[in-house]
C-alpha cells in the first residue's frame, strides 16, 4: 500500500524560499547602496533549515507509525519529463534511509547556520553568504529526497554549483577563486560517470524487456534483469560519480583546497552534506551494487586506499583546517569500506547486505556530528586567533577557550574511536565486518589491516592537532594574549554537537555490548526496509564468537591509544618536538605525495598545450586566417574584373571586336587541321 504526504515538499521548499528572499533583499538594498539588515537576514537564514528540521521530525514519527513493510511516504509535485518510454516526475520519496539523511542534514545544518550568524557577522558579504548557504541546503535535500536518479542528479549538480560559490566566496583572492574552480571541475569529472551510469541503466532496461524507468523503486523491482556484467558496468560508472563528490582517490584533490571557503561552509560540506552524497547514492543503489561482488570489492578497496592515503598526509599538515580536511577524506574511505562490503556480503550471503550497508551509513551519521563539531571548533579557534590557522603558532589555548577545548576534545576522542563516543561504535562495526570478510577471502584481511592502521594514524594526527592547539606554552604570545572564547551563538552549536557525539553512538550498539539491558542495532533495524535488496531467508553469515569480538574491540581501542600516546609524548610537552622537515618522507607527506603536481604535469599541462595549439595553430592561424583573408581574396578578384566594367561604349566595342577575332582564329586553326 502506497502512502503519500503533502508535507515532504516543504522540507526543500523552506530553504529555497529563504534563499530567494535573502537574495532579493541583497539585490534590493545593493541597488540603494546599502547592505541588507543583518537581523532580518539572520532570522530568515536560520528559520529556513529550522522549519525543514521540524517538518522532518513530524514526518519521521509519521513514518515510524507505519508497518515496517510499508514504511515509505511519497509526494508527486508535478510532471517533469514525459518523452516516449521515459516518464519522470518531480517526486519525493521519504523512507527510513532518506528520513535519516534529512534529519541529519537539517538538524546539523540549522546549528551551522546559527553558528554562521556569529562567525560571519563582520563580513561584507553576510547576506550573499546566507543566500548561497540556504540554496546549498535546498540542493542537498532534493538530492536526498528525489525518488529517481534524474531528480537526485538535479540536487547533485546543485550542491556542486553551491560548493563552487561557497568555496570561492572570497573570490577577490585569486587562490580562493581557484579553489572554487578546482572543486567545480573535479566534480564535473565524477558527474560525467554518474550520467553515463544513468544512461546505461535506462538503455539496458529499454532493450532487455524492462520498463525503462529511472525511479528507484522501479529499478529495484527490475534488478533481476541485470546480468552481473551489466550490473558491474552500471555500478562502477555510478561509483565514479561518488568518487568525485565524496573525494576518493584520485578525485580527492579538490577537498583540501575547499578549506578556502568560510569555516562553517567547511563544516557543512565535510560533515552533513555534499561529501556524504556519494556514500548515500551507493547505499540507495545498493540493489545494483549487490548484483556484482566485483563492484562491491572495488568500492571497498578504493575506500581502504583513500583512508590510509589521506591519513598519512594529515600527519604532516600544519593548517588546522587541512588536518580536518584530510581526516574527512580518510573517514569517507571508511564509509565506502562499509557500503562496499555490504554489496559484497549481499552477493555471497543472501540477505546479509542490508545490515552491513547500514554500518556504512551509520558512520555517515556519527561522522556528521563529530566532524561538524571539529570544524566549528576549529572555526572558534581561528576566530579567537585573528584568522590564524597554523597550529604551530598556537598553544596554551585551553585556559583561554575552555568550552572550545572541552567540545573539541570530545570530537577528537570520538574520531579516534574511543568508547563510549559515537565514532567508536561506527568504526568498530566497519572493522569487524572487514575482519569477517577475510573469513571468505583471505586477501580481504588486507582491508581490515589497512583500516586498523588508519585508525591508529587518525588518533595520532588528531591529537597532534589537539595538543599543539590547546596544550603546552603559547608559541606566539601576541596571538595568545588576544585569544578569547567565542560568543554563545558560536559555542551553543559546539555544545549541542558534543552532546550528539556522546549520545548517537548508542543508536547502534552491537549485541556483544548490550550487557542484557541496552537496546541493540536500532539504527540497522530502522534502515533495513530501505537497504534490503530482496526477500531472503535469514542470512547464515559467519559471526565471530563473543570472545573474538571483544579481542577485535580491544585491538582497535589499543591501536588508537598507542596513536594518542605517541601524540602526547611528542606534542603535549610545554615545548613540543619539532617536525622532521628535512626528511624526505616528511616532505613527501607535506606535499601530499605530489599528486597535484602529477595531475598538473599529466593532465592539466597537456590540456593547456592542446588548447594553446587549438587556439593558435587551428583557430588563429587556420580558421581566423581563412575567414579574415577570404574577403581580401574576393576584393582582389573584384578589382581584377572591375577593369573591364568601365561603362564606356567604345571599350565594350573593342572587347566585342577582340572576341570576334578570337572566335575566327579558333575556327581557322580548327579547319587548318
Amino acid at each position: 500500500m502506497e502512502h503519500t504526504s503533502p508535507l515532504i515538499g516543504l522540507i526543500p521548499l523552506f530553504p529555497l524560499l529563504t534563499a530567494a528572499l535573502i537574495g532579493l533583499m541583497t539585490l534590493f538594498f545593493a541597488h540603494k547602496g546599502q547592505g541588507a539588515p543583518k537581523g532580518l537576514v539572520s532570522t530568515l537564514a536560520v528559520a529556513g533549515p529550522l522549519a525543514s528540521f521540524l517538518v522532518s521530525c513530524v514526518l519521521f514519527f509519521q513514518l515510524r507509525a507505519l508497518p515496517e513493510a510499508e514504511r515509505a511516504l511519497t509526494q508527486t509535485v508535478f510532471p517533469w519529463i514525459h518523452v516516449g518510454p521515459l516518464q519522470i516526475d518531480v517526486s519525493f520519496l521519504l523512507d527510513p534511509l532518506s528520513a535519516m539523511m534529512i534529519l541529519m542534514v537539517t538538524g546539523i545544518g540549522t546549528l551551522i547556520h546559527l553558528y554562521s550568524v556569529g562567525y560571519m557577522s563582520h563580513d561584507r558579504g553576510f547576506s550573499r553568504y546566507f543566500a548561497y548557504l540556504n540554496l546549498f541546503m535546498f540542493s542537498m535535500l532534493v538530492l536526498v529526497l528525489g525518488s529517481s536518479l534524474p531528480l537526485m542528479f538535479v540536487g547533485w549538480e546543485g550542491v556542486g554549483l553551491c560548493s563552487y560559490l561557497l568555496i570561492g566566496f572570497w573570490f577577490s583572492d585569486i587562490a580562493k577563486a581557484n579553489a572554487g574552480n578546482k572543486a567545480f571541475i573535479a566534480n564535473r569529472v565524477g558527474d560525467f560517470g554518474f550520467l553515463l551510469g544513468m544512461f546505461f541503466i535506462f538503455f539496458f532496461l529499454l532493450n532487455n524487456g524492462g520498463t525503462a524507468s529511472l525511479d528507484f523503486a522501479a529499478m529495484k523491482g527490475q534488478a533481476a534483469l541485470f546480468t552481473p556484467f551489466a550490473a558491474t558496468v552500471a555500478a562502477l560508472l555510478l561509483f565514479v560519480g561518488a568518487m568525485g563528490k565524496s573525494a576518493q582517490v584520485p578525485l580527492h584533490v579538490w577537498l583540501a583546497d575547499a578549506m578556502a571557503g568560510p569555516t562553517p561552509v567547511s563544516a557543512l560540506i565535510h560533515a552533513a552534506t555534499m561529501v556524504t552524497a556519494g556514500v548515500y547514492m551507493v547505499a540507495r543503489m545498493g540493489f545494483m551494487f549487490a548484483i556484482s561482488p566485483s563492484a562491491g570489492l572495488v568500492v571497498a578497496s578504493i575506500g581502504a586506499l583513500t583512508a590510509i592515503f589521506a591519513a598519512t598526509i594529515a600527519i604532516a599538515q600544519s593548517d588546522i583546517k587541512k588536518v580536518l580536511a584530510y581526516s574527512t577524506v580518510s573517514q569517507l574511505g571508511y564509509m565506502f569500506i562499509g557500503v562496499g562490503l555490504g554489496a559484497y556480503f549481499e552477493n555471497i550471503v543472501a540477505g546479509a547486505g542490508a545490515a552491513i550497508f547500514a554500518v556504512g551509513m551509520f558512520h555517515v551519521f556519527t561522522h556528521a556530528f563529530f566532524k561538524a563539531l571539529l570544524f566549528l571548533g576549529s572555526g572558534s579557534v581561528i576566530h579567537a586567533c585573528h584568522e590564524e590557522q597554523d597550529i604551530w603558532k598556537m598553544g596554551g589555548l585551553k585556559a583561554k577557550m575552555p568550552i572550545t577545548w572541552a567540545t573539541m576534545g570530545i570530537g577528537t576522542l570520538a574520531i579516534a574511536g574511543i568508547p563510549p563516543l559515537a565514532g567508536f561504535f561506527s568504526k568498530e562495526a566497519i572493522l569487524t565486518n572487514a575482519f569477517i570478510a577475510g573469513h571468505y577471502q583471505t586477501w580481504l584481511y588486507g582491508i581490515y589491516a589497512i583500516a586498523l592502521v588508519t585508525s591508529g594514524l587518525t588518533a595520532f594526527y588528531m591529537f597532534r592537532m589537539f595538543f599543539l592547539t590547546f596544550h603546552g606554552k603559547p608559541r606566539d604570545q601576541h596571538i595568545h594574549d588576544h585569544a578569547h572564547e567565542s560568543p554563545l551563538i558560536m559555542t551553543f552549536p559546539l555544545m549541542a554537537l558534543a552532546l550528539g557525539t556522546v549520545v548517537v553512538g548508542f543508536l547502534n550498539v552491537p549485541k556483544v555490548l548490550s550487557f542484557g539491558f541496552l537496546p541493540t542495532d536500532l539504527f540497522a533495524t530502522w534502515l533495513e526496509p530501505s537497504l534490503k535488496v530482496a526477500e531472503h531467508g535469514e542470512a547464515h553469515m559467519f559471526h565471530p564468537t563473543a570472545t573474538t569480538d571483544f579481542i577485535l574491540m580491544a585491538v582497535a581501542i589499543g591501536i588508537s591509544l598507542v596513536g594518542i600516546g605517541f601524540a602526547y609524548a611528542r606534542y603535549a610537552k610545554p615545548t613540543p618536538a619539532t617536525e622532521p622537515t628535512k626528511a624526505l618522507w616528511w616532505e613527501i607527506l607535506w606535499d601530499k605525495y605530489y599528486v597535484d603536481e602529477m595531475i598538473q604535469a599529466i593532465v592539466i599541462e597537456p590540456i593547456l598545450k592542446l588548447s594553446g595549439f587549438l587556439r593558435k595553430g587551428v583557430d588563429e592561424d587556420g580558421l581566423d586566417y581563412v575567414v579574415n583573408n577570404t574577403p581580401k581574396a574576393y576584393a582582389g578578384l573584384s578589382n581584377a574584373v572591375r577593369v573591364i566594367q568601365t561603362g564606356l561604349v567604345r571599350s565594350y566595342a573593342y572587347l566585342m571586336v577582340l572576341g570576334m577575332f578570337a572566335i575566327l582564329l579558333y575556327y581557322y586553326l580548327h579547319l587548318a587541321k
Side-chain angles (χ1 to χ4, degrees), residues 9 45 130 198 203 308 317-318 334 345 381 394 414-415 469 496 563 599 635:
F130 280 109
M198 187 163 57
F203 285 110
I308 196 165
Q317 302 307 305
S318 59
Y334 262 100
F345 277 118
V381 171
M394 298 175 188
I415 197 172
T469 302
I599 291 176

Side-chain angles (χ1 to χ4, degrees), residues 35-193:
K38 288 187 176 180
L40 182 56
V41 170
S42 302
T43 302
L44 287 171
V46 177
L50 178 60
S52 296
F53 176 67
L54 294 175
V55 175
S56 299
C57 291
V58 171
L59 286 169
F60 170 79
F61 287 108
Q62 287 185 8
L63 198 65
R64 192 169 178 271
L66 295 174
E68 184 177 310
E70 301 174 13
R71 202 164 274 171
L73 296 169
T74 60
Q75 180 187 4
T76 299
V77 183
F78 56 83
W80 183 23
I81 302 173
H82 286 202
V83 180
L86 183 61
Q87 306 289 311
I88 302 172
D89 297 327
V90 173
S91 179
F92 298 129
L93 168 66
L94 186 72
D95 64 352
L97 179 59
S98 55
M100 179 274 292
M101 289 294 293
I102 61 171
L103 285 171
M104 181 184 80
V105 170
T106 58
I108 295 177
T110 300
L111 293 173
I112 292 172
H113 278 67
L114 182 64
Y115 178 97
S116 295
V117 172
Y119 190 87
M120 299 293 291
S121 59
H122 301 296
D123 196 281
R124 293 178 60 188
F126 186 82
S127 57
R128 176 169 59 92
Y129 169 83
F130 280 109
Y132 293 164
L133 207 63
N134 276 268
L135 187 61
F136 189 101
M137 289 285 291
F138 161 75
S139 300
M140 186 66 192
L141 290 168
V142 169
L143 186 157
V144 168
L145 289 169
S147 66
S148 63
L149 274 175
L151 190 56
M152 175 188 275
F153 189 72
V154 170
W156 191 275
E157 290 298 286
V159 295
L161 170 63
C162 293
S163 68
Y164 161 75
L165 296 172
L166 288 165
I167 293 167
F169 181 75
W170 291 308
F171 55 84
S172 57
D173 183 331
I174 190 63
K176 292 178 170 57
N178 287 339
N181 292 335
K182 188 174 185 179
F184 191 77
I185 294 167
N187 274 273
R188 297 292 75 72
V189 175
D191 295 350
F192 184 63

Side-chain angles (χ1 to χ4, degrees), residues 166-234:
L166 288 165
I167 293 167
F169 181 75
W170 291 308
F171 55 84
S172 57
D173 183 331
I174 190 63
K176 292 178 170 57
N178 287 339
N181 292 335
K182 188 174 185 179
F184 191 77
I185 294 167
N187 274 273
R188 297 292 75 72
V189 175
D191 295 350
F192 184 63
F194 189 117
L195 279 173
L196 290 178
M198 187 163 57
F199 295 155
F200 179 85
I201 292 171
F202 174 77
F203 285 110
F204 183 88
L205 289 173
L206 186 66
N207 294 315
N208 288 274
T211 303
S213 173
L214 294 173
D215 184 83
F216 293 122
M219 287 189 290
K220 189 173 184 177
Q222 301 178 91
L225 294 175
F226 283 85
T227 62
F229 176 76
T232 301
V233 172

Side-chain angles (χ1 to χ4, degrees), residues 123 134 177 181 193 255 259 357 418 420 500 537 548 554 582 589 600 640:
D123 196 281
N134 276 268
N181 292 335
L255 197 59
M259 297 301 98
F357 273 121
I418 302 301
T548 304
K582 294 183 179 179
L589 297 183
Q600 182 75 23

Side-chain angles (χ1 to χ4, degrees), residues 352-540:
I356 303 172
F357 273 121
V359 165
M361 292 307 299
F362 187 52
H363 197 52
V364 170
F365 188 70
T366 61
H367 177 265
F369 283 88
F370 59 72
K371 185 50 63 69
L373 169 59
L374 288 165
F375 264 112
L376 296 186
S378 73
S380 180
V381 171
I382 294 166
H383 179 77
C385 295
H386 303 282
E387 305 308 311
E388 181 57 64
Q389 296 181 199
D390 188 345
I391 56 179
W392 282 99
K393 294 182 180 180
M394 298 175 188
L397 293 177
K398 174 185 174 182
K400 290 292 191 88
M401 309 181 69
I403 297 175
T404 302
W405 169 79
T407 53
M408 281 197 76
I410 291 171
T412 307
L413 286 167
I415 197 172
I418 302 301
L421 302 175
F424 163 74
F425 291 102
S426 56
K427 289 176 74 173
E428 185 279 328
I430 291 172
L431 286 168
T432 299
N433 285 327
F435 180 82
I436 293 171
H439 175 79
Y440 293 95
Q441 288 195 34
T442 304
W443 68 270
L444 291 180
Y445 281 124
I447 291 180
Y448 169 73
I450 291 171
L452 190 63
V453 172
T454 301
S455 182
L457 292 174
T458 302
F460 173 76
Y461 69 70
M462 288 302 301
F463 272 92
R464 167 183 174 268
M465 179 200 75
F466 184 75
F467 290 137
L468 287 176
T469 302
F470 293 104
H471 291 261
K473 293 181 179 179
R475 290 178 295 280
D476 189 313
Q477 196 62 46
H478 176 74
I479 288 176
H480 184 267
D481 289 344
H482 291 82
H484 54 83
E485 185 59 273
S486 298
L488 181 62
I489 198 169
M490 293 172 66
T491 55
F492 173 76
L494 295 180
M495 291 184 283
L497 289 165
L499 178 62
T501 300
V502 172
V503 170
V504 296
F506 292 95
L507 292 175
N508 210 52
V509 176
K511 290 182 175 62
V512 72
L513 292 180
S514 67
F515 303 115
F517 67 92
L518 289 174
T520 62
D521 299 326
L522 293 176
F523 192 88
T525 303
W526 168 255
L527 290 186
E528 185 178 1
S530 299
L531 300 178
K532 187 164 55 176
V533 174
E535 294 297 334
H536 295 296
E538 185 178 352
H540 298 290

